[in-house]
Amino acid sequence: MPHLRIGPVEARVEADAVGRYRAATAIDELDAAPADEVPATFPAVWLWHPAARAAFDDLTGDDSLIPVLIAQRFCYRRTLRIGDDVRFFITRRADPSAPEDVQIEAHVEDLNGAVIADFSATYRLFGPEAAL
């Protein structure tokens, strides 16, 4: 798996996107947080940003392999707020000693360069025989 770096990509934390995310993840039913609070996991939606899709488009390198999320980490310096304009960078790498594991890391900052958060997710690539 080739190392990949994407960014900078600019995005905005929009109220309607946060609302759709909360509804899709059932956060409103599980969480008594105010509706204008941005869930900690919300930045995951940026992985599907058109400029960031390349991190997943060739993730497996093989159409028969299935990526399964096995670990994730969120490290905030400050909370995201509706209306925030952000810049993010995504890095994808595989560990040569464990080529079936792929690490996706995202670094999020404000437009002045102040760090907001760092995230990582590890995906394990499974072949169709794993489903048996």
Side-chain angles (χ1 to χ4, degrees):
M1 164 101 20
H3 180 80
L4 178 68
R5 179 148 167 94
I6 299 169
V9 178
E10 291 189 8
R12 183 175 178 85
V13 180
E14 299 285 356
D16 61 329
V18 170
R20 287 191 308 273
Y21 181 82
R22 291 176 72 86
T25 57
I27 287 176
D28 284 330
E29 293 179 22
L30 301 175
D31 186 357
D36 63 345
E37 185 174 300
V38 179
T41 56
F42 174 78
V45 303
W46 294 328
L47 291 174
W48 309 117
H49 186 287
R53 288 244 1 144
F56 281 93
D57 282 348
D58 64 347
L59 179 67
T60 67
D62 179 341
D63 289 340
S64 69
L65 296 176
I66 301 164
V68 175
L69 179 67
I70 61 169
Q72 58 186 348
R73 177 184 58 81
F74 299 88
C75 180
Y76 276 91
R77 306 299 190 293
R78 75 159 175 85
T79 59
L80 281 170
R81 297 179 290 265
I82 290 176
D84 276 349
D85 290 308
V86 300
R87 181 178 301 121
F88 65 89
F89 303 82
I90 295 174
T91 304
R92 181 190 69 195
R93 62 177 61 88
D95 181 349
S97 65
E100 68 280 0
D101 290 353
V102 178
Q103 184 80 26
I104 307 269
E105 298 171 347
H107 173 81
V108 181
E109 56 189 41
D110 67 20
L111 297 185
N112 294 317
V115 176
I116 296 172
D118 290 296
F119 311 100
S120 69
T122 303
Y123 293 85
R124 180 155 296 152
L125 305 177
F126 289 96
E129 67 281 354
L132 300 176

